[in-house]
Amino acid sequence: MMASDGMLSLSWNNHKATFCHILSTLREKERYTDVTLACEGKFYPVHKLVLSTCSEYFEKMFEHTPCKHPVVVLKDIKCADMEALLSYMYDGVVSVLQQDLARLIKAAELLQIKGLAVPDEPPLKELSKKNAYPWSSRDDRSSPHPKRRRREDMMTSTSQGSSLPPPESPPSSPQHHQESNQSWDHSKSHSQDQREDGVDQRVGDPVEPAVEFSSPKQEASHNQEPVDESLVKEEVIEGSEDNQGEGMDSRIEYGGMGGGDSNTGGEEQGSKFPHQLDTKHPQPLHEAVVEALAGPSGMQGWLGTGELGGGFSMLEGYSEDGNQEVHPASTGPHGTQQSHQMVWLDYDTNMADKVGAQDSTKNVLRNEKKKTFYCPCCSYTSPKVYHFKRHYRTHTGERPFSCAHCPYHTSDKSNLIKHVRRHIS
DNA sequence: CAGCAGGGGGCGG
DNA sequence: CGCCCCCTGCTGT
């Protein structure tokens, strides 16, 4: 900012302070908030910009999340810590009791908050003691699969839960990634058989199952609100906005894929479903889905209840069996505390308001104790996994059931049976 | 009428 | 609990 040629340099003296103050004010007033963090039943409407600025984790998450106003459910993070972290992000400072420091750091690590957990920037506080996690390095994200990594990271980190840093060894999962694509297919192909392996790999990461595990604990520990964190659902705003587009995009893609299927399907008739489609669609879907859903790390889940990974299952869903709970691999042992889930809201964009307002129960699932499966692509919910899987196939375009007499193939076995009967009769 | 999507009930592990 | 099958409602041709 020099003024070499008659240029004048105008500086705003208190720019930083003013900016920070304004940001904080905006947060208080919930103005322009475009993402809601949910933890322990509390909702914090905040700004993606701020979160992205302070955490690559969030940055990536939003980068891959089409939703206009996503809700990120943070598990294993206490609301007190969340508030402290928000204060840290918005104001640059936060006061914390020494006794709470470790826990706060842990939370910061989970979220990869710069300055607290991520070395990116010089550690501001001593807090950074742990700072560099192995993964931080990974963060560089040069790699194409940041998400997964993140998830893993998360998982690992979380897993440690209270204690320590994750094993640095990037666990197996990474490896899986590579295979993932293919494996996916396979998995799909086997869908009927159900192998979870395949699933694990891919989905695994996202794995929420892990989440589930943890959840129970959490519940135990605190169940303040009925609202289950796991349950928050976000919707892709359907009616309302174009957003649908986003959500829908995915669908669209699926559809496309579906088309593809048909071709293949046709040929394969004989082969029965399992293999058929593997070919192409799967991947895209997955990808799309994963992206959409999982997004960055946050992921996935929706399932409610915590128990199972059901949620994830969905993802896995494609594979059909997915659910199985736990995919150990990724999930990891329980450690998992995983953390966050990104969900689609049913409500409209302004969910924030709503959420903020009341318990938001509506949108949020209330059946906390029951298992309820929420479709990440639409507002469909079902207490039956099977129904959920069946439904989810409509989004993925997967049509594992093909007619032996014609190219017809469907995602619903019942329909196939019905169809076959016509041939017979 | 065919196809699609979803709910309900029954069965087996 | 998960899966299967039946049935129903809706939509498009």
Side-chain angles (χ1 to χ4, degrees), chain A residues 98-167:
Chain A
Q98 190 153 356
Q99 56 188 34
D100 297 331
L101 182 60
R103 203 185 59 212
L104 180 64
I105 295 297
K106 197 115 254 159
E109 288 171 349
L110 289 176
L111 302 177
Q112 297 175 28
I113 305 298
K114 293 177 184 174
L116 282 179
V118 176
D120 299 12
E121 311 198 356
L124 305 183
K125 310 187 175 186
E126 67 275 26
L127 305 183
S128 45
K129 48 184 178 180
K130 296 190 172 186
N131 53 29
Y133 261 36
W135 37 279
S136 52
S137 55
R138 305 186 197 168
D139 285 353
D140 29 278
R141 316 87 237 287
S142 32
S143 67
H145 309 290
K147 306 174 186 177
R148 296 180 186 171
R149 296 191 167 190
R150 287 227 184 124
R151 297 174 188 172
E152 290 194 52
D153 298 350
M154 299 293 308
M155 315 259 338
T156 49
S157 54
T158 23
S159 55
Q160 23 172 336
S162 36
S163 29
L164 324 145

Side-chain angles (χ1 to χ4, degrees), chain A residues 72-89:
Chain A
V72 179
V73 181
L74 303 165
K75 289 196 167 194
D76 304 324
I77 288 186
K78 291 188 164 289
C79 56
D81 292 332
M82 194 66 249
E83 289 168 17
L85 291 175
L86 288 174
S87 170
Y88 176 79
M89 291 189 273

Side-chain angles (χ1 to χ4, degrees), chain A residues 172-425:
Chain A
S172 43
S173 22
Q175 309 179 345
H176 297 308
H177 294 55
Q178 313 197 344
E179 314 176 351
S180 58
N181 299 330
Q182 301 205 337
S183 48
W184 255 125
D185 297 351
H186 296 318
S187 55
K188 246 189 165 185
S189 43
H190 299 135
S191 47
Q192 314 262 342
D193 317 341
Q194 327 241 341
R195 282 303 307 151
E196 322 206 295
D197 303 347
V199 176
D200 294 353
Q201 320 192 344
R202 222 262 182 75
V203 177
D205 339 44
V207 179
E208 298 342 270
V211 178
E212 321 290 63
F213 295 148
S214 52
S215 49
K217 305 175 184 176
Q218 298 193 341
E219 298 184 0
S221 47
H222 26 259
N223 15 326
Q224 337 186 296
E225 328 223 28
V227 179
D228 215 324
E229 7 188 88
S230 39
L231 308 188
V232 181
K233 189 176 191 185
E234 173 175 12
E235 240 173 14
V236 173
I237 330 185
E238 313 222 32
S240 36
E241 346 197 354
D242 335 341
N243 284 338
Q244 300 189 343
E246 318 187 323
M248 311 310 298
D249 292 350
S250 24
R251 289 191 174 183
I252 297 180
E253 298 197 357
Y254 302 145
M257 308 188 87
D261 301 358
S262 47
N263 309 332
T264 45
E267 331 212 8
E268 314 247 349
Q269 319 176 350
S271 64
K272 290 38 246 298
F273 2 119
H275 315 281
Q276 46 208 74
L277 331 170
D278 359 355
T279 45
K280 352 208 143 195
H281 351 36
Q283 309 208 331
L285 299 180
H286 298 73
E287 300 274 19
V289 176
V290 174
E291 287 233 355
L293 308 184
S297 31
M299 53 211 110
Q300 26 235 332
W302 21 83
L303 299 208
T305 12
E307 17 201 276
L308 352 145
F312 270 28
S313 10
M314 7 194 337
L315 289 187
E316 310 176 343
Y318 325 80
S319 50
E320 301 211 313
D321 23 350
N323 332 310
Q324 316 334 12
E325 6 283 346
V326 186
H327 299 286
S330 32
T331 338
H334 23 47
T336 37
Q337 331 199 28
Q338 154 161 32
S339 333
H340 327 153
Q341 300 185 345
M342 175 146 311
V343 211
W344 274 260
L345 301 177
D346 284 316
Y347 12 126
D348 343 293
T349 33
N350 39 15
M351 56 160 309
D353 307 342
K354 302 181 178 183
V355 174
Q358 59 263 340
D359 46 331
S360 52
T361 26
K362 295 178 160 174
N363 306 310
V364 179
L365 298 189
R366 346 173 90 280
N367 312 326
E368 3 239 83
K369 306 291 166 166
K370 299 181 176 182
K371 283 187 182 179
T372 301
F373 298 87
Y374 299 86
C375 178
C377 303
C378 70
S379 57
Y380 176 83
T381 65
S382 172
K384 290 193 171 189
V385 189
Y386 182 76
H387 286 169
F388 172 79
K389 289 178 184 177
R390 186 178 63 183
H391 163 82
Y392 197 66
R393 283 187 214 122
T394 64
H395 292 302
T396 63
E398 180 181 3
R399 295 186 220 167
F401 307 99
S402 35
C403 175
H405 307 76
C406 73
Y408 172 80
H409 51 283
T410 177
S411 59
D412 181 0
K413 194 170 183 179
S414 295
N415 288 334
L416 173 64
I417 294 173
K418 192 171 162 186
H419 168 87
V420 172
R421 283 179 188 152
R422 287 182 196 125
H423 281 296
I424 299 175
S425 59

Side-chain angles (χ1 to χ4, degrees), chain A residues 10-21:
Chain A
L10 303 178
S11 67
W12 179 351
N13 289 336
N14 246 342
H15 179 271
K16 268 191 175 178
T18 304
F19 232 75
C20 289
H21 177 68

